Amino acid sequence: GRLTALDVTDNQIDESRVAALLAPPGASSLRRLVLRSNGLEDAGAAVVASCAHLHTLEHLDLGHTRAGDGAARALAASTRCGR
């Protein structure tokens, strides 16, 4: 089966680890991604926003991270992530 949900809550995930997690082909069918309670900042959210194969993503949880306004802008402007 394909991976449709990934929850890595509280796993010390930063932008380099997000990039590795989202490397194809593993994340190409993700519909739900939970990155809650990690050290992510705006750069980590930008990695998600620029990930070309996350077109199926329906839910993204960045709660309790350091992602702020820059992350929100990157995600809102993304044409690659699902909506």
Side-chain angles (χ1 to χ4, degrees):
R2 292 180 171 233
L3 181 66
T4 59
L6 180 61
D7 185 335
V8 290
T9 298
D10 199 19
N11 274 287
Q12 301 177 1
I13 303 292
D14 60 14
E15 58 268 6
S16 64
R17 290 186 175 129
V18 166
L21 281 173
L22 299 181
S28 63
S29 59
L30 272 181
R31 292 176 45 194
R32 180 177 174 85
L33 179 59
V34 180
L35 298 169
R36 187 173 190 77
S37 299
N38 283 292
L40 284 181
E41 297 182 1
D42 290 350
V47 168
V48 174
S50 66
C51 191
H53 59 276
L54 284 183
H55 59 278
T56 59
L57 193 64
E58 297 172 356
H59 176 87
L60 174 63
D61 185 345
L62 294 172
H64 299 281
T65 65
R66 295 183 205 129
D69 293 344
R73 283 190 294 274
L75 290 164
S78 175
T79 58
R80 297 176 176 204
C81 284
R83 296 282 172 183

